[in-house]
Each structure stands twice: as C-alpha cells, then as structure tokens.
Amino acid sequence: MFHLAEQRLREALTTLLKERYGVDIPVVIEQPKQSDLGELAAPVAFALARQLKKAPKVIAAEIVAALPPVPGIASLEVAGNGFLNARLDRGAYGALLLAAASQAPATLPGKTIVEHTNINPNKAAHIGHLRNSVLGDTFVRMLRASGRTVEVQNYIDNTGVQVADVVVGFHHLEKKSVDEVRALLAAPRFDYYCWDLYARTSAYYADHPEAIQWRRDALHAIEHGEGVIAELGHLIADAIVECHLTTMWRLGISYDVLPRESEILHLQFWATAFEQLKQRKAIYFVEEGKNKGCWVMAATHFRDSAGEDSGDDDAKVIVRSNGTVTYVGKDIAYQMWKFGILGKDFHYTPLRTYPDGHVAWVATADESEAVTNRPAFGGGTEVYNVIDSRQSYLQDVVVAGLRALGYEQQADHSIHFSYEMVALSPRTCVELDIPLSEEDKKKSYVEVSGRKGLGVKADDLIDKLIEKAQVEVDARHAEKPEAERKRVATQIAIGALRYFLLKFTRNTVIAFDLQEALSFEGETGPYIQYAAVRAGKILAKLVERGEQIPEFTEVLDAEKMARQLSSEPFWQLLLAASKSGSALNAALSSGEPAAMARYAFQLAQAFNTFYQDYPILPEKDPEKRTVLLWLAVFFQKQLHHTLQNVLGIPVPEYM
RNA sequence: GGGACCGUAGCUCAGCUGGAUAGAGCAUCUGCCUUCUAAGCAGAGGGUCGCAGGUUCGAGUCCUGCCGGUCCUACCA
C-alpha cells in the first residue's frame, strides 16, 4: 500500500518538473529520517538548483505552490534547505487498508530457479550448510510472495571426492561389507557416523599419503558405476541425502527436484555441452606449456583484467589432460540444462512426500523407473545459485561459458547468490572442546573444517535450541499438555535459528557464537514471535470475555480513522505494518533476505512499544477501542504473513 | 603479482541507487510486573564512521593513495 503513495508522488513530481521546467530527471522518493517530518521526502530541488540557478529552497517553494493535489497526500511542505516533505492523508490511508482484502500478488511470467543446499552427501549437515539453506529458502519464499513461479533445486554431488572418501573409510579402514553398511544406515544418525568416519579417513590420508590411491580408485569406480565400491557410494550418498532432507525439513525447508551428478554423467550431459563449446570455440586445446593436453577456456572470457598477454597458463582447465572433465565443465552443462538450452533432460522419480503433501523429485538415468506424470523441471528464465562466495571465480567461469556459447540472455540471468562462510567464535570453540592454536586465539573467528570433523552439526544445534526453548515454555505454561509445549518449543527454536542466520547481510562472515544463537531476547526470532503472540492474545482474550471481533469494514470509516490516527503512536504502528510490501520489494531488489528479517524485527518493536503504552481491552472510548483493535488485527495479519510466508518462521499459539 | 570483499559504539552488526541530528541488539547502569503474558517497556552513558587527500550545495556512502584484515587466483569441489 505504501509504495502506491510513493509512486503517486513520484509521478506527480515528474510530470510537474517536465511541464514547468522542461527537465526530465529521475525523481527519488525517500523517507524522512524523523517521523515528524512526514512520510515521504523528495530532495529534487537540490538536483535542480544548479540547472535552474536558483536556491533549492526557492525551487521547492515553487513546486509546492504549483503541484496539483495528489490523491492520498494531505500536504506538501518545504523543510530544511529545500526538502519537499509530504504527509499522507491518514484517514484515507487507513480506510484504504481497511477495504483492501488480502489480495495475492499477480503471477509474474517466467520461472525462477533457485539452487541451494547442495551439500556433499557424505556427512551430517553443519551450520555453514544451514546458512546456505536458510538463505536460499527465505529467498525462495520472498520470490514466491512477490508472485514469481519458483523451482527449488538441490544439487547432489554423489560421485565426488567427498563421497569417495567415506567409501574408502568403510571399505579400506573399517573393512565393512555392503550389508554391514546397509545395517548401519538403517540405524539413526548415520550422517553422524559418516561425519566421524570422514574425519578419520582424512586423518589417515595425512599419515599415509600412499592411501590417496584408494581415493583415486574409488572415484574412478564410482564414476563408472563399477563393483562394490560403486554400490557403497550410491548406498551412502542416498542415505545421507535422506538425512539432509530430514534435517532441512525440521526448519521447514523443502525442495522440488534433486538433480544428481551421477545422472549428469550417465546421460552424458557433458558430452553434449562439450560439443557445443568446441563448435563455438568457447574452449580450445592446448598444445604445450603448463596446461598441455587440456581443453581450456581463455581467461579473457571471465576476467575483465586479463589483457592480451594473458596466455594459456591463465586459462581455466575444463577438460584435463587425461580426458576427464572438471567440476566447472559439468557445471556449465548443468547450468545449460537449468535454462533448457542443453537439449537434454533427466528422467525423474519421486523421492519424498513431505508431511504437507509436497513431493520432492530426484533425477534418474534409468528410464524404467521414470514417472511421466510430473511437473516439468528446468527450463528457467532466471537462475539463482546459492553458493558461498569462495566459489565466485568458478561461477564466473560458468557464466562466461554461457556467454561464449552465445547465450547472452541466459548469462545475464545467471546470478551467483553468494554469501560468506560461517565460522566459529573462539569462545564457542572453547565451549565445544575444539583445540585452538595460538594463532586462532587472536582471531575474531575460526574456520570450521568438515575434513577435520570440527564444526557444529545442524541437528545438534536444533536439538539444543529446542531443549532451551522447552525450559522457557515449561516455566511459563506448566499446565499445557506436554506434546503441545514441545511443539511450541520447536517453533521457537526454529524462529531463533532462522532469524539468527538471516540477520546478517550475505557478505558478512558469521562468527557463530553459541550463546548469541541461543539467545531469545533482543534482536532475535523469538522476540518477533512474541509480538505476534501478544497481538493474538488480545483478540483471544476479547473472545474469551464473550465479545466479538467487530466487522471493521462496517463500523469504521475514513473519518473515524482520521480522528484516531491523528494520534502519532497509532499512526506510526499502522504505517510500519503497511510497509510489508515495500519491505519485500526492497529486500528483493537488493537481494538481501536480511533486510526482510530486519523489517520484521522493526515491526515487532513498533508493536511492543504500542502494546506497552495502550492497553486495548480496558479502553473506554468505543471508537478508539475499535480502531485499536483493528490496528492489532492489521498488525497481526502483516506480521504473520511476513514471518510465516516470507521468512519461514512459525508463529506459536502461545509463548 | 592479479582480482574480490571488509574496517562504523566495549562486543556483534544495520545504514536502500550520495541527503536532514550516524542507528539496532548485546554488555553496563537506573526505573517499570495487582493491568491484553516482563521472551517486554522507558531512560542513561558509550562514535575523529581505519588514515590522508579529492569530487559537490551535501560523503559512513563516490574517486585516488596509504594502513590493517579476509578470501579467491588447482588438471579439488
């Protein structure tokens, strides 16, 4: 609703500037720093001052005098050295919000593909993975809330080095048979078992460098689908994927389709891409030098700075001298598939049906198990890859590949949704008995290492949060049934975790601090949930007392709104609550889920202040009481939507 | 060597395409539970926005240089 007012003012000013001064400049509308200056501000007079050779103040005054009334805007005034400040017509604004049914946004054309999670299926997920998934999932929700059609992909590298290492661990170190592994993976927390085994295998390599040959052999066997090793590889990877899906679902995160590396190999996606790359001369064969015998992409394609002199040595190897393709090569093929320009597709079979009925599909190379009655996958118009920022170089190469093939549009719509890693605060390392070197102790954060088995497992963290929330819930609501308390505690835990991972902007390294993450006070998820619960409680109490929630559209009108909303605190709360759409657009265009999280927090803050100062139920003045009730209802609706639909944070029944 | 990012309150972080008196949370201190739940609210202290120049009506934000830190720059992913 708010952006409508912005838009109107912008258009009115643009028209006026054109007609009166003959200038066509973009009119910036912003919000004044202080609320008593109005709701909208336009610093246009400053921009015009030089052109018109007049003082900004004079220009602003002229504009105020000349601007015809703008619907929804009550007044326009000059402030400071030449700001144009506008005040909204509060009564009209309130009436508009009252009348507007919660309309779903219009569906936008095209399909947006968001790839996130992408965890190597060889061990339990840790907090770094959670940041990826929560960021990705929230961004997906933001896109959907704005009317976009989104497909969520979770790419599974089930034939890579990391899986091979765990296979080596089972086969060579533990000498376990397929059946023995099968028995293990049926037991709970197989991913934890692999977490330790992976660390042990890595340590073994360090002590026995010759054992690296096991890895090479395993990798080869897995890629070619040969023998016991390959069987183990599939068994382990599939089981771990199940673990990851279960972990993510605890946070409300689900997927539409899981493309797998093994299918990319078997269906020869790469071969198809390779032909295209060769034909279009996007890559070339190196005859001598460092990269002799490789197919490479010239550095000029993906590096602005690479000049004439950058030779073959700076190029990125796509096909190794032994004929195997690098990950980047496969990624180019995969990215082409995402846009529907590869000319090939996977077969698909259902992998999991979530409790809400949603089905996640998995790619298969086996036509016999393919299910044809299914959604269409791939073929997106824009693609977001949620991948940590350390891989930006490789993402650049992938995009350069598309460009070199002539797919300019697809290259432009390939977005590396990058984010920084999650490290551990030194304090938390001490708490978790993670050994710190002298060097580490001086740093503000310590990097986690999956290979060393150092880190915070996702499920452990979630469990810890639930446990802590449970203590709080039990203390406040001992009379409630246990199962219910457990559910509430879980919702609080999810809120705390998701908000914690979202409150940082993407390119900020999170120095994960356990105490901070476990906090339920201040700028946290539970704080926001609490505001929503409080609003709900007012309405519940009202009904409990035998009253009914009024039909606001019948008992309120613009005049009553105007009268009550002249009170600044009421107006400020309404204004804040009405900005959820603007906040979504802003967060979307900046690509920062953190902005949306922050909006929710600020809205909760506004409500908590209001809640403290204006008890609604005891209010004597009936008109005021009705408006306040409506405010609570409107606030609740907006916050619920922002929390549940956009941020994926549940709202508990009570707290 | 080349590229990218970062440096804002004691700590952790916001600060939208340059705009009005630089903001939150935590921590510290002071108040507020007989009220729709205190997981809350009100208030206080705390800043040469790394340093130095420049651009202009205006710079935390843009440009240059320097200082400090991180990541990338694999025939690993």
Side-chain angles (χ1 to χ4, degrees), chain A residues 100-383:
Chain A
S102 53
Q103 73 264 29
T107 304
L108 298 165
K111 172 158 96 175
T112 303
I113 288 174
V114 177
E115 178 200 59
H116 66 75
T117 304
N118 300 10
I119 311 173
N120 272 303
N122 76 325
K123 61 178 177 307
H126 57 63
I127 50 175
H129 300 129
L130 284 183
R131 185 177 195 183
N132 182 308
S133 303
V134 168
L135 223 35
D137 180 66
T138 304
F139 193 60
V140 166
R141 289 167 187 269
M142 286 165 57
L143 290 166
R144 285 184 173 147
S146 74
R148 287 169 176 82
T149 302
V150 183
E151 178 176 307
V152 185
Q153 301 186 356
N154 177 7
Y155 178 76
I156 308 298
D157 181 5
N158 58 350
T159 62
V161 174
Q162 296 212 17
V163 170
D165 283 348
V166 173
V167 171
V168 165
F170 276 119
H171 187 75
H172 293 289
L173 299 186
E174 301 210 316
K175 308 213 181 296
K176 284 205 160 50
S177 68
V178 170
D179 283 340
E180 283 170 316
V181 172
R182 212 185 289 275
L184 265 179
L185 60 82
R189 303 227 146 153
F190 177 64
D191 53 345
Y192 279 41
Y193 190 97
C194 290
W195 173 283
D196 294 332
L197 181 56
Y198 178 50
R200 258 190 293 149
T201 308
S202 300
Y204 190 86
Y205 288 145
D207 295 341
H208 307 81
E210 72 283 0
I212 290 286
Q213 188 58 41
W214 289 343
R215 172 196 276 171
R216 287 194 207 105
D217 295 343
L219 211 45
H220 188 271
I222 291 168
E223 277 186 20
H224 292 80
E226 290 161 1
V228 183
I229 296 286
E231 196 178 349
L232 277 176
H234 267 294
L235 215 54
I236 294 163
D238 288 354
I240 298 284
V241 166
E242 291 288 349
C243 293
H244 291 163
L245 293 187
T246 301
T247 300
M248 293 308 167
W249 179 250
R250 296 181 79 183
L251 299 179
I253 300 170
S254 62
Y255 309 89
D256 296 319
V257 62
L258 282 68
R260 293 191 300 195
E261 173 109 337
S262 52
E263 277 63 37
I264 289 190
L265 292 174
H266 293 143
L267 295 169
Q268 307 204 311
F269 275 27
W270 165 244
T272 309
F274 193 27
E275 276 315 306
Q276 287 199 42
L277 286 163
K278 280 195 281 195
Q279 263 177 29
R280 307 271 186 130
K281 309 238 187 294
I283 59 175
Y284 64 94
F285 189 76
V286 180
E287 300 285 357
E288 54 191 50
K290 186 179 90 171
N291 294 326
K292 184 179 177 186
C294 299
W295 286 87
V296 302
M297 184 183 296
T300 45
H301 282 122
F302 52 89
R303 244 186 234 155
D304 305 335
S305 62
E308 318 299 313
D309 56 339
S310 75
D312 297 348
D313 286 2
D314 275 354
K316 176 66 195 168
V317 171
I318 304 297
V319 179
R320 304 180 184 104
S321 53
N322 67 2
T324 56
V325 58
T326 58
Y327 178 82
V328 190
K330 283 180 274 191
D331 225 20
I332 292 173
Y334 175 37
Q335 189 77 357
M336 289 170 72
W337 169 79
K338 287 181 191 165
F339 280 110
I341 52 178
L342 183 68
K344 280 197 163 179
D345 198 2
F346 301 103
H347 302 297
Y348 303 90
T349 189
L351 179 65
R352 164 177 303 214
T353 302
Y354 290 98
D356 65 357
H358 181 72
V359 177
W361 296 73
V362 65
T364 172
D366 187 349
E367 212 171 341
S368 67
E369 54 176 38
V371 173
T372 47
N373 181 21
R374 57 165 177 86
F377 297 116
T381 42
E382 59 177 353
V383 173

Side-chain angles (χ1 to χ4, degrees), chain A residues 114-116 128 131-132 135-136 139 383-396 414-422 501 504-509 590-594:
Chain A
V114 177
E115 178 200 59
H116 66 75
R131 185 177 195 183
N132 182 308
L135 223 35
F139 193 60
V383 173
Y384 288 87
N385 294 328
V386 182
I387 300 176
D388 92 75
S389 58
R390 285 175 293 196
Q391 297 196 44
S392 61
Y393 166 67
L394 298 176
Q395 285 290 301
D396 287 347
S414 297
I415 297 140
H416 177 198
F417 197 83
S418 71
Y419 64 94
E420 274 291 348
M421 62 176 174
V422 181
L501 292 170
F504 302 91
T505 49
R506 279 162 33 207
N507 69 353
T508 298
V509 176
S590 63
E592 281 292 1

Side-chain angles (χ1 to χ4, degrees), chain A residues 585-632:
Chain A
N585 287 336
L588 227 31
S589 64
S590 63
E592 281 292 1
M596 203 60 209
R598 194 160 288 273
Y599 164 74
F601 173 66
Q602 282 164 353
L603 180 55
Q605 253 184 336
F607 179 78
N608 274 335
T609 306
F610 164 85
Y611 178 92
Q612 191 81 16
D613 295 343
Y614 302 96
I616 297 175
L617 297 185
E619 176 57 49
K620 297 285 190 296
D621 179 344
E623 181 181 287
K624 188 171 176 181
R625 190 169 185 261
T626 307
V627 170
L628 291 183
L629 269 176
W630 174 69
L631 261 181

Side-chain angles (χ1 to χ4, degrees), chain A residues 21-33:
Chain A
Y21 303 109
V23 291
D24 194 6
I25 54 165
V27 174
V28 175
I29 303 291
E30 48 194 42
Q31 292 166 39
K33 278 260 154 64

